Amino acid sequence: MNDVIWEPDASYIEGSNVKRLMDRNGISSYEELVERSVADVEWYWSEAEKDLGLEWARPYDKICDDHQGMQWSTWFVGGQINIAHNCVDRHATGPRAGKTALIWEGEDGSARSVTYSRLAEEVATFANALRSLGLGKGDPIGVYMPMTIEAVVAMMAIAKIGGIYLPIFSGFAASAVAVRLIDAGAKALVTADGFFRRGQIVEMKEEADKAAHEAGVPITIIHSRIGRDIEWHKHDHWWHDLVHEQQTTSPTEETDSEDVWMVAYTSGTTGKPKGSVHVHGGFLVKIASEVAYQVDLREDDVLYWVTDMGWIMGQWQTVGGLAVGGTVVLYEGAPNFPDPGRVWSICERHGVTILGMSPTLVRALIPAGDDPVKAHDLSKLRIFGSTGEPWNEAPYRWLFETVGGGRCPIINLSGGTEVGACFLSPYPITNLKAMSLRGPSLGMAVDVVGPDGQSVRGEVGELVCRKPWPAMTRGIWGDPDRYIESYWSRFPGIWTHGDWASIDNDGHWFLHGRSDDTLNIAGKRIGPAEFESVLVSHPKVAEAAAVGIDHEVKGEAVWCFCVLNPGEEGSPELQKELTSLVDAEIGKAFRPQRIVFVPELPRTRSAKILRRAIRAKVMGEDPGDLTSLENPGALEAIDAALRS
């Protein structure tokens, strides 16, 4: 395939965290390290947690227990460990006490930073506040907040009391929030009065009120981010009132390695979002190792990933960055507001050394040209990170050459919420080809297989994992059967992830998009049935199908195909109504690019809608095997509707 575009020099190899791990174990090359970590996953994960210096309240007795099958593996059995202790408390009393832990910048120019010692105090006071409301170990608590320091404080305080953290995307509308709160059985919701997005106030409290009412959540805690007047309810509590006069120390709950810390929602091809279950031990070890070894966060580094706490990369940068003892930047607003140089100005202003961006964001910034980049001093940048979707070569090279000057490797990693977090990733000690993911993330026994489940090379196949890993979801919250069906039914005993992948003759790995129906809108995965459920709630719509169509900026945009009830007619006015309905129920970030009215949808004899056939018709691609299609005329009708 394409040629190598980057080779590490001595500054990337010597002093790197992964080189330290190699030296500890007498390993001389990247290839040897990957091979050993995959051949003996228990050895790798034990060595990684020791190298990272993580602190256990009680040492574990056994690294991995898979006696119930790979899909139900448990890790660090018998050990006690807490994420809040390892990310905050252990740094607050040592040499890092005065080091900056978090830097926050609001879209309106507001800014704040906290040291590790101050962060520990804020986490402790909020933990005490949660306990004062009767919340404690095992209680699910939703966090529906903008990207602020308080969002991290809430996350860590929930870990400190042994609660279950439910991160919810700040751009979701009330119904999408409520679905997740109901599924998890949330006992409380932490939110904000609002935040700024593209110069406008986002009235977050109103959406939170509707969600809490629908879900029957008895406690709502509101952080006064912008100080606006809001409607008050008897179950509401101001954050600042709760923490007033609370003690600045708080005991950390004794949590077993397998105690649930987080239920993070992702979407599949059925309507109900999937709650990925993550635990204190496995998630901490995996995420800390990724931040340490993959983007090589060192003592003086400043990490900024353009993300939201509602997506796995929010936890990736905060849990991983704080566990390793780095400095993490949080930005609240739109990354290209008030001008397309906002990301670059943040990097210059805060001395960012490691910058994470999605391909979608890069594509969105390119039309502004090179001048916004050249206007800022980006000399401190040394590593790029990326995730969310496959790259196109032109934007990849723009980031590498124009922004990074050809001197910063792009650590292009891929995994998912349910993976916690990466299957594939380069390392800064390896060479790179454009758009490559280089190879397996350490300790991940990934493979590319054909339809028979056998390994393939030099061709596109399914990405799978053949051995367990510490951060794999412990199932789908409340739905073990769906967990097995989603990941383990294609090839028994092998995790099938739903990505197309390939490995070239030089051993470089590449991704080629989703192999299932999941939509990937600007790096945010969401099930088509969530759109379809909203659309069919309209009295004029009988059926709907949502598909992802290639988009030059977002990666994918959603197109919705609607069958109307008898006697109803499609019109531009109805299209606007349906678009507004999606905005209100799911969020404007997921607004359909197009709504098409059709007489019927293509379906199999078992009544399954063939979304891939619809997408292929739109894209002008081969739809593949249509032998199960019951009504071929539906595709012809879709073609006619598109032409009209």
Side-chain angles (χ1 to χ4, degrees):
M1 292 188 65
N2 52 351
D3 296 329
V4 168
I5 64 168
W6 188 81
E7 295 272 3
D9 61 23
S11 68
Y12 280 92
I13 298 172
E14 299 303 323
S16 67
N17 294 317
V18 72
K19 181 67 162 53
R20 181 188 68 230
L21 176 69
M22 292 165 63
D23 291 344
R24 280 172 56 103
N25 290 277
I27 293 172
S28 60
S29 70
Y30 158 78
E31 290 78 11
E32 182 185 351
L33 176 62
V34 172
E35 182 178 356
R36 185 171 178 187
S37 77
V38 170
D40 189 349
V41 295
E42 293 190 29
W43 164 82
Y44 170 73
W45 292 112
S46 179
E47 284 299 313
E49 69 87 4
K50 292 182 176 65
D51 179 67
L52 295 168
L54 300 177
E55 293 184 358
W56 298 80
R58 185 175 70 204
Y60 51 89
D61 303 315
K62 186 177 183 179
I63 300 170
C64 180
D65 182 353
D66 61 357
H67 78 276
Q68 297 184 77
M70 174 180 163
Q71 59 268 43
W72 301 112
S73 298
T74 56
W75 286 81
F76 309 113
V77 182
Q80 284 190 339
I81 193 167
N82 187 284
I83 282 177
H85 172 78
N86 277 275
C87 292
V88 181
D89 295 343
R90 72 186 178 108
H91 302 309
T93 56
R96 293 189 179 118
K99 178 182 177 179
T100 301
L102 299 172
I103 299 170
W104 169 76
E105 181 171 311
E107 191 183 78
D108 61 346
S110 303
R112 185 164 84 94
S113 64
V114 292
T115 64
Y116 273 98
S117 61
R118 178 59 187 166
L119 179 60
E121 291 177 352
E122 293 196 22
V123 169
T125 55
F126 194 63
N128 289 333
L130 293 175
R131 286 179 170 131
S132 73
L133 295 172
L135 297 166
K137 189 171 184 179
D139 287 335
I141 302 171
V143 179
Y144 173 53
M145 297 187 75
M147 202 68 170
T148 59
I149 287 174
E150 287 74 19
V152 179
V153 169
M155 174 208 302
M156 292 299 168
I158 292 167
K160 193 173 185 66
I161 70 171
I164 299 174
Y165 168 57
L166 310 174
I168 301 173
F169 175 46
S170 63
F172 273 142
S175 293
V177 177
V179 165
R180 288 151 175 83
L181 296 175
I182 292 168
D183 186 70
K187 299 292 184 65
L189 176 63
V190 185
T191 189
D193 58 349
F195 63 99
F196 293 99
R197 183 80 178 180
R198 300 199 176 281
Q200 302 297 314
I201 292 176
V202 177
E203 298 180 344
M204 200 170 208
K205 172 61 160 57
E206 285 76 357
E207 296 300 309
D209 282 346
K210 289 183 282 188
H213 176 74
E214 184 177 342
V217 175
I219 299 170
T220 306
I221 302 169
I222 305 100
H223 171 243
S224 180
R225 159 66 183 98
I226 57 179
R228 54 185 285 264
D229 292 332
I230 56 175
E231 186 176 350
W232 203 251
H233 304 281
K234 62 180 180 181
H235 55 74
D236 288 340
H237 303 267
W238 279 118
W239 176 302
H240 56 266
D241 286 342
L242 285 174
V243 300
H244 183 61
E245 296 183 352
Q246 292 283 357
Q247 295 293 318
T248 57
T249 60
S250 178
T252 299
E253 186 70 30
E254 293 182 353
T255 47
D256 291 341
S257 174
E258 286 293 315
D259 279 346
V260 177
W261 169 63
M262 175 173 70
V263 177
Y265 283 88
T266 185
S267 294
T269 56
T270 58
K272 185 180 177 182
K274 296 181 293 187
S276 298
V277 181
H278 291 294
V279 299
H280 279 264
F283 190 84
L284 174 64
V285 173
K286 172 77 163 122
I287 296 299
S289 69
E290 290 187 1
V291 172
Y293 303 143
Q294 289 168 197
V295 299
D296 193 35
L297 183 66
R298 306 184 194 180
E299 188 67 30
D300 296 329
D301 276 317
V302 178
L303 168 64
Y304 169 40
W305 203 290
V306 186
T307 187
D308 183 274
M309 296 305 283
W311 307 114
I312 192 66
M313 297 312 294
Q315 292 79 49
W316 190 93
Q317 75 159 353
T318 48
V319 172
L322 296 176
V324 177
T327 297
V328 175
V329 173
L330 310 169
Y331 173 61
E332 165 197 76
N336 55 356
F337 186 88
D339 58 65
R342 187 64 183 257
V343 168
W344 320 125
S345 69
I346 289 172
C347 290
E348 180 181 27
R349 194 156 41 250
H350 303 301
V352 173
T353 58
I354 303 169
L355 172 64
M357 307 174 72
S358 70
T360 291
L361 178 55
V362 174
R363 288 190 288 264
L365 294 175
I366 287 175
D370 300 349
D371 289 345
V373 178
K374 294 176 181 178
H376 298 283
D377 179 4
L378 304 179
S379 60
K380 289 188 176 181
L381 284 175
R382 69 180 188 92
I383 286 178
F384 292 121
S386 80
T387 192
E389 61 205 303
W391 277 96
N392 312 109
E393 186 159 0
Y396 183 99
R397 287 188 175 273
W398 184 83
L399 179 64
F400 179 71
E401 295 166 2
T402 301
V403 182
R407 60 182 180 80
C408 303
I410 299 177
I411 305 301
N412 180 22
L413 44 88
S414 180
T417 303
E418 59 275 57
V419 177
C422 299
F423 274 140
L424 302 172
S425 175
Y427 288 80
I429 63 169
T430 64
N431 59 15
L432 287 175
K433 294 183 179 184
M435 303 180 294
S436 169
L437 295 103
R438 192 56 176 91
S441 180
L442 293 174
M444 305 298 285
V446 288
D447 196 4
V448 178
V449 303
D452 58 357
Q454 299 301 307
S455 300
V456 296
R457 297 295 182 266
E459 62 182 89
V460 174
E462 288 273 3
L463 179 65
V464 301
C465 194
R466 296 185 179 276
K467 295 181 181 179
W469 65 97
M472 62 189 289
T473 178
R474 298 311 194 258
I476 292 174
W477 184 261
D479 199 344
D481 292 340
R482 188 180 179 196
Y483 167 61
I484 297 299
E485 173 64 25
S486 296
Y487 305 109
W488 302 95
S489 60
R490 178 76 183 276
F491 306 113
I494 300 175
W495 176 291
T496 305
H497 194 56
D499 281 334
W500 296 121
S502 66
I503 308 170
D504 73 9
N505 293 331
D506 297 322
H508 289 247
W509 294 54
F510 297 84
L511 287 183
H512 304 278
R514 297 294 298 169
S515 63
D516 59 19
D517 288 332
T518 302
L519 307 179
N520 194 330
I521 311 299
K524 302 174 180 70
R525 291 170 59 188
I526 186 167
E530 290 202 58
F531 291 92
E532 295 158 7
S533 297
V534 170
L535 292 168
V536 299
S537 70
H538 192 285
K540 293 185 179 181
V541 178
E543 288 186 294
V547 297
I549 304 301
D550 291 353
H551 189 280
E552 63 180 5
V553 174
K554 293 184 177 181
E556 275 191 327
V558 62
W559 285 30
C560 298
F561 293 79
C562 298
V563 178
L564 300 181
N565 285 312
E568 302 291 353
E569 292 185 0
S571 66
E573 290 73 22
L574 181 55
Q575 288 173 324
K576 290 179 181 178
E577 283 184 38
L578 295 174
T579 299
S580 297
L581 189 60
V582 173
D583 284 354
E585 294 294 317
I586 301 179
K588 292 182 179 179
F590 304 95
R591 176 179 292 173
Q593 184 183 45
R594 188 170 177 185
I595 292 178
V596 182
F597 300 114
V598 295
E600 60 179 336
L601 299 171
R603 61 181 71 252
T604 66
R605 292 176 181 85
S606 60
K608 179 181 178 181
I609 295 173
L610 279 179
R611 297 183 186 89
R612 61 175 172 82
I614 301 173
R615 184 182 188 278
K617 179 62 68 174
V618 175
M619 299 293 296
E621 299 174 345
D622 181 1
D625 181 16
L626 294 178
T627 55
S628 63
L629 184 62
E630 185 177 44
N631 54 341
L635 288 178
E636 297 173 11
I638 287 173
D639 190 47
L642 292 172
R643 289 198 304 271
S644 66

